[in-house]
Amino acid sequence: MNENFITETRFNRKLCREFISYVNLHKQIWLYALLLVLVSILEYRNSHSIERIGLFVLAMFLMYFVASYISMIILVKRSGKSLKIRFYEHHMFIETDTKREKIPYNTISKIVERDTCFYLFLKKNKGSFIIEKKGFSKGNVTKFYNFMTDHLSIKAT
């Protein structure tokens, strides 16, 4: 069984920061905004206190930035470590220094292409993978993206 693609990602601070920024912008910020609006409306109806709403809005902004910072610190702890992924026709193997795991493509919910990397998101918030474009040792970036979108569309039907 031959690999279609082999890639290795070496984690660094820049890569981790970009990923956290993407996730925060596309996933978490909407939750914070919705919660902010909902609780602000309820609080205003209850107390008619602009000061309390202002403090709540400030607290929500602080929580958002603290959560982002903590997420980045956790991810940056991987700095210097590598993730090797081998892509086969029906599954992929994830390899770290200590672990090897088989992941079928039907567990992937979407792929996102950025300037320097891809993000693979698993279903039901079970995780994600960062794949650096410069880390391909077999296959090329354009064919990889097409390969992954083909596999994602097959499982959706």
Side-chain angles (χ1 to χ4, degrees):
M1 197 191 268
N2 285 340
E3 301 97 347
N4 293 332
F5 302 92
I6 300 174
T7 183
E8 187 167 355
T9 299
R10 292 205 67 67
F11 293 97
N12 58 50
R13 287 183 184 270
K14 182 177 183 276
L15 193 65
C16 296
R17 266 190 245 120
E18 288 173 357
F19 178 73
I20 294 297
S21 295
Y22 175 84
V23 170
N24 286 344
L25 184 62
H26 290 87
K27 291 191 174 201
Q28 293 179 355
I29 199 163
W30 302 111
L31 176 63
Y32 279 98
L34 179 65
L35 189 60
L36 181 68
V37 169
L38 180 64
V39 173
S40 294
I41 290 170
L42 293 173
E43 181 59 31
Y44 185 74
R45 282 184 166 176
N46 184 34
S47 69
H48 296 291
S49 172
I50 299 296
E51 293 84 15
R52 284 179 62 154
I53 294 171
L55 284 174
F56 174 72
V57 169
L58 180 63
M60 287 298 291
F61 276 114
L62 288 174
M63 274 182 24
Y64 174 78
F65 289 112
V66 167
S68 298
Y69 183 73
I70 290 170
S71 296
M72 189 179 64
I73 287 173
I74 290 169
L75 192 58
V76 165
K77 284 190 175 193
R78 291 180 133 182
S79 225
K81 295 184 179 175
S82 67
L83 174 71
K84 189 171 195 172
I85 306 177
R86 297 173 187 274
F87 295 88
Y88 297 91
E89 191 57 39
H90 301 290
H91 62 275
M92 59 188 189
F93 273 105
I94 308 297
E95 300 173 22
T96 64
D97 297 335
T98 58
K99 186 172 152 182
R100 185 172 192 232
E101 184 176 350
K102 178 181 176 179
I103 298 178
Y105 293 125
N106 65 0
T107 61
I108 299 172
S109 63
K110 74 176 182 175
I111 182 171
V112 174
E113 184 174 8
R114 306 290 287 173
D115 290 338
T116 60
C117 55
F118 295 101
Y119 303 144
L120 288 180
F121 291 94
L122 301 179
K123 289 182 178 177
K124 299 180 185 176
N125 295 323
K126 297 266 183 187
S128 53
F129 299 103
I130 303 170
I131 300 171
E132 281 186 297
K133 289 181 177 179
K134 68 180 181 181
F136 280 84
S137 60
K138 182 173 184 181
N140 69 43
V141 174
T142 305
K143 288 183 179 180
F144 173 74
Y145 185 78
N146 293 337
F147 174 81
M148 289 306 298
T149 54
D150 287 348
H151 280 77
L152 291 176
S153 64
I154 288 170
K155 71 168 181 65
T157 57

